[in-house]
């Protein structure tokens, strides 16, 4: 069967639309609409371009699709509306099957995990009237065991506090996570979110109710919260130590609630493997704490854990229902691809001169070892919020000023935000406190003694790093680049951040890569086997 999973929005609050295509149990293509529509989170947008992109990758027509799976089980008119949408945009409507939002998250976490058995947990702000769900995964699929009600939402707690600190809820929560370690006296937020015998309790009386926010551009907090901890920060205002301490309190509250919930569910189910999805699961600092729980043997976090992964989850859920033999999903490189001819056309159109290099990995390693910041554009794009070596900006992690250089002249973003390392899988345990691969940058790990000083550009102020392990078998070119850099510097990892600037989606096409290269302080760009350098950049 050809099963198309989609997620999109008919209202402004629905975000992160995407499409995923599974053919005979194998994931063929998966891409987010924001990469193609070029508006971050693409709120209220249906995945029109994503659907076209995955069909193109598979060489299929819409008439070849046997089933469309979409979230929205609790919406009575969802089948009618999705069918009309397909007829309007594509001239044909395949059969449509609604999937519960939280069930889609659970499927997206369990089926790619590779575990035979696991506790599966989804937690987010809300979806289909719930803030989460949990069950046990086995060879029969995911057996739903319980749900988390909408009025007890960890995701909404974190979003409300994100709004309170002047950031965009539903989008900027990772900024709170990055700011939190700078707090030296965490503000006690247990009045808002605290552990409980059955997991946790969130007091929604601190969330604005009258009227409730109809979009993320309105405040989520209310007067009761400001009466407790003082005035909210407005966007653009200076970040004070008080704000840092609030961020620390937010993160502490989340971690204590999440670990309480996971500990409770592990006891209830008797499982020792854990699969996570939902927006809260993207909090890699909380995942670091969860990963250290003594009752957990293995942890898998869906790389596109937030609503970005719902299209994939819907497709996997439907494929399992149809009895398809779901094939392993070992990486996230399922986006569109652009061959050498597309790259040369983009170079000709923009007037950039480029040289063809015999080995992009060697050329990249040479530039990095000289202190250059480079764009790295290779193969099919990554699905999910993290750049994992196909649409990345790379740099030397050992240079003291590199973090500030990239934040100020390349990414144009807040100075407190950390960068992540991509490390050779076989060398990761030498540098980080970890004993298993972590290929998706979803878990923070402690940096081993002595290495933090050597790697200041990727070691956060709390001595952790959001690690991506790179496998020679899965991504040989990226592995080769890091290996070549290691030969020159004795450092088996590179600084890796997404190929975009603040507020923009990750680049998708060669033209977008060249545009970002031209408009930032990047020193060089390697696309396929083509190297583009700016004046004064050392020769590779």
């Amino acid at each position: 069967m050809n099963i198309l999973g989609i997620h999109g929005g008919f209202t402004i609050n629905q975000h992160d639309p995407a499409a995923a295509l599974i053919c005979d149990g194998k994931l063929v293509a998966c891409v987010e609409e924001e990469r193609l529509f070029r508006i971050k989170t693409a709120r209220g947008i249906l995945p029109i371009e994503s659907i076209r992109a995955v069909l193109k990758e598979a060489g299929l027509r819409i008439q070849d699709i046997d089933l469309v799976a979409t979230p929205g089980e609790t919406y009575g008119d969802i089948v009618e509306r999705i069918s009309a949408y397909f007829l309007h945009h594509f001239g044909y409507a395949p059969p449509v099957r609604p999937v519960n939002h939280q069930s889609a998250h659970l499927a997206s976490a369990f089926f790619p995990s590779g575990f035979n058995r696991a506790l599966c947990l989804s937690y987010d702000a809300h979806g289909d009237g719930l803030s989460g769900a949990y069950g046990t995964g086995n060879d029969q699929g995911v057996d739903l065991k319980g749900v988390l009600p909408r009025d007890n939402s960890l995701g909404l707690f974190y979003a409300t506090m994100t709004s309170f600190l002047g950031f965009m809820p539903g989008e900027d929560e990772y900024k709170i996570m990055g700011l939190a370690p700078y707090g030296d006296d965490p503000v006690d937020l247990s009045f808002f979110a605290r552990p409980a015998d059955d997991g946790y309790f969130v007091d929604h009386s601190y969330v604005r109710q009258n009227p409730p926010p109809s979009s993320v551009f309105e405040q989520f907090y209310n007067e009761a919260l400001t009466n407790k901890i003082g005035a909210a920060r407005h966007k653009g205002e200076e970040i004070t130590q008080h704000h840092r301490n609030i961020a620390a309190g937010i993160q502490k509250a989340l971690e204590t609630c999440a670990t309480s919930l996971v500990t409770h569910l592990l006891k209830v189910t008797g499982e020792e493997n854990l699969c996570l999805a939902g927006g809260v699961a993207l909090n890699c600092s909380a995942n670091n704490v969860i990963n250290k729980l003594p009752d957990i043997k293995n942890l898998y976090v869906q790389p596109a854990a937030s609503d970005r992964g719902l299209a994939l989850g819907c497709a996997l859920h439907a494929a399992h229902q149809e009895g398809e033999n779901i094939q392993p999903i070992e990486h996230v490189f399922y986006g569109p691809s652009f061959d050498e001819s597309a790259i040369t056309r983009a170079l000709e159109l923009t007037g950039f001169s480029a040289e063809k290099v015999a080995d992009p990995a060697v050329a990249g390693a040479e530039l990095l070892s000289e202190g250059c910041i480079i764009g790295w554009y290779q193969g099919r794009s990554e699905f999910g919020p993290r750049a994992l070596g196909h649409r990345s900006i790379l740099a030397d992690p050992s240079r003291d000023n590199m973090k500030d250089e990239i934040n100020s002249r390349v990414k144009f973003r807040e100075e407190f935000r950390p960068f992540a390392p991509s490390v050779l899988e076989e060398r990761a345990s030498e540098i980080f406190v970890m004993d298993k691969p972590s290929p998706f940058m979803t878990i923070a790990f402690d940096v081993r003694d002595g290495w933090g000083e050597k790697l200041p550009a990727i070691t956060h102020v709390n001595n952790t790093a959001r690690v991506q392990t790179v496998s020679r078998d899965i991504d040989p070119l990226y592995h080769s680049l890091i290996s070549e850099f290691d030969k020159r510097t004795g450092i088996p990892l590179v600084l890796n951040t997404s190929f975009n600037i603040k507020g923009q989606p990750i680049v998708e096409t060669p033209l977008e890569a060249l545009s970002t290269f031209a408009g930032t302080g990047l020193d060089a760009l390697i696309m396929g086997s083509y190297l583009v350098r700016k004046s004064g950049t050392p020769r590779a």
Side-chain angles (χ1 to χ4, degrees):
M1 291 186 71
N2 297 322
I3 298 175
L4 177 64
I6 66 168
H7 166 60
F10 295 103
T11 68
I12 191 65
N13 267 340
Q14 290 177 303
H15 54 92
D16 295 315
L21 180 60
I22 292 179
C23 300
D24 298 329
K26 181 179 180 180
L27 179 61
V28 173
C30 197
V31 65
E32 298 138 281
E33 190 74 7
E34 72 167 34
R35 299 287 191 94
L36 310 171
F37 190 70
R38 304 309 299 163
I39 299 292
K40 199 169 183 181
T41 71
R43 291 186 175 275
I45 303 299
L46 291 161
I48 300 164
E49 299 305 321
S50 302
I51 292 169
R52 291 194 174 113
V54 297
L55 290 173
K56 181 180 177 181
E57 286 295 322
L60 298 178
R61 305 169 305 150
I62 193 65
Q63 290 83 0
D64 298 319
I65 299 300
D66 299 298
L67 178 65
V68 172
T70 182
E73 183 184 57
T74 59
Y75 295 87
D77 61 349
I78 191 69
V79 172
E80 177 186 356
R81 295 189 74 176
I82 293 295
S83 296
Y85 148 57
F86 270 90
L87 283 171
H88 175 65
H89 287 284
F90 300 97
Y92 174 78
V96 177
R97 178 179 300 170
V99 177
N100 182 275
H101 180 109
Q102 304 298 340
S103 294
H105 275 319
L106 294 177
S108 77
F110 177 67
F111 289 111
S113 71
F115 300 154
N116 293 323
R117 296 188 57 87
L119 164 64
C120 304
L121 171 62
S122 163
Y123 49 178
D124 57 14
H126 53 79
D128 272 332
L130 302 170
S131 71
Y134 61 92
T136 53
N138 52 47
D139 57 2
Q140 300 300 309
V142 180
D143 182 15
L144 186 67
K145 297 294 186 181
V147 298
L148 307 177
R150 180 170 176 156
D151 61 359
N152 191 28
S153 171
L154 268 181
L156 190 55
F157 156 72
Y158 212 91
T160 300
M161 294 308 304
T162 299
S163 174
F164 181 89
L165 283 182
F167 298 110
M168 181 77 77
E171 183 175 335
D172 288 344
E173 281 79 358
Y174 60 92
K175 296 182 182 181
I176 306 301
M177 182 177 64
L179 183 62
Y182 291 92
D184 54 19
D185 184 18
V187 172
D188 183 5
L189 295 174
S190 59
F191 65 87
F192 194 168
R194 57 187 178 270
D197 290 343
D198 59 351
Y200 64 87
F201 171 73
V202 173
D203 188 344
H204 276 227
S205 69
Y206 298 99
V207 181
R208 182 178 163 208
Q209 304 289 336
N210 294 311
S214 60
S215 85
V216 294
F217 300 100
E218 297 183 79
Q219 70 183 64
F220 276 34
Y221 58 91
N222 61 18
E223 188 177 356
L225 185 59
T226 58
N227 287 340
K228 279 279 190 179
I229 58 176
R233 172 183 174 266
H234 301 296
K235 183 177 180 180
E237 284 188 347
E238 177 189 359
I239 295 175
T240 66
Q241 190 57 43
H242 178 58
H243 297 137
R244 297 183 188 98
N245 291 340
I246 291 175
I250 299 168
Q251 186 64 29
K252 182 178 179 180
L254 176 72
E255 291 173 2
T256 56
C257 289
T259 53
S260 175
L261 175 64
V262 169
T263 300
H264 169 70
L265 295 179
L266 288 170
K267 289 179 181 177
V268 168
T269 61
E271 300 292 346
E272 57 183 4
N273 298 321
L274 173 63
C275 299
L276 292 178
V280 177
L282 283 180
N283 193 296
C284 64
S285 295
N287 293 342
N288 181 22
V289 178
I290 291 170
N291 195 41
K292 294 176 181 177
L293 291 174
D295 294 333
I296 291 180
K297 182 178 180 181
N298 297 293
L299 172 62
Y300 176 85
V301 183
Q302 164 55 234
S306 65
D307 286 3
R308 299 167 183 264
L310 284 174
L312 174 61
C314 286
L316 288 167
H317 187 276
H320 175 73
Q321 286 183 324
E322 292 298 318
E324 296 286 278
N325 180 25
I326 297 174
Q327 302 299 305
I329 303 173
E330 298 178 334
H331 57 77
V332 293
F333 309 121
Y334 289 102
S337 58
F338 297 87
D339 58 20
E340 294 267 306
S341 64
I343 293 173
T344 57
R345 284 196 300 272
L347 289 167
E348 291 168 359
L349 179 64
T350 55
F352 280 101
S353 60
E355 57 187 287
K356 199 160 189 181
V357 294
D359 189 334
V362 170
E366 285 286 347
L367 290 164
L368 293 173
S369 65
E370 292 284 344
C372 294
I373 304 170
I374 69 171
W376 181 254
Y377 182 103
Q378 302 291 338
R380 296 181 70 177
S381 61
E382 306 93 333
F383 178 71
R386 312 295 187 205
L388 299 173
H390 283 208
R391 303 288 186 272
S392 291
I393 291 171
L394 308 178
D396 180 350
S398 70
R399 296 179 183 256
D400 288 334
N401 64 339
M402 189 57 76
K403 174 187 167 185
D404 292 338
E405 281 285 301
I406 298 174
N407 272 333
S408 63
R409 70 183 181 93
V410 178
K411 299 283 283 189
F412 310 122
R413 66 183 202 174
E414 298 87 355
E415 74 284 349
F416 60 81
R417 291 170 57 186
F419 291 109
S422 295
V423 60
L424 299 177
E425 182 180 276
E426 63 272 22
R427 301 283 301 280
S429 62
E430 299 173 23
I431 303 165
F432 305 103
V433 182
M434 58 191 305
D435 57 5
K436 300 179 184 71
S438 185
F440 303 125
M441 228 182 262
T442 52
I443 306 171
F445 293 92
D446 297 332
V447 180
R448 292 194 182 276
D449 292 344
W451 278 101
E453 297 79 7
K454 296 178 183 177
L455 304 170
I458 58 89
T459 303
H460 202 24
V461 67
N462 61 354
N463 199 51
T464 67
R466 192 179 68 234
V467 177
Q468 175 201 1
T469 55
V470 180
S471 163
R472 178 186 288 108
D473 294 333
I474 291 175
D475 200 349
L477 179 59
Y478 195 35
H479 188 280
S480 178
L481 167 73
I482 303 171
S483 297
E484 291 292 338
F485 181 71
D486 181 34
K487 289 177 186 177
R488 290 157 177 76
T489 64
I491 300 171
L493 61 107
V494 297
L495 181 155
N496 173 20
T497 186
S498 54
F499 199 160
N500 65 336
I501 63 175
K502 178 185 174 183
Q504 294 185 2
I506 298 173
V507 301
E508 185 61 49
T509 68
L511 275 175
E512 290 154 8
L514 286 165
S515 174
T516 302
F517 170 68
T520 67
L522 283 172
D523 298 305
L525 167 63
I526 300 178
M527 291 194 297
S529 60
Y530 288 94
L531 168 61
V532 187
R533 295 181 297 115
K534 287 181 180 166
S535 176
T537 300
R539 297 196 68 83

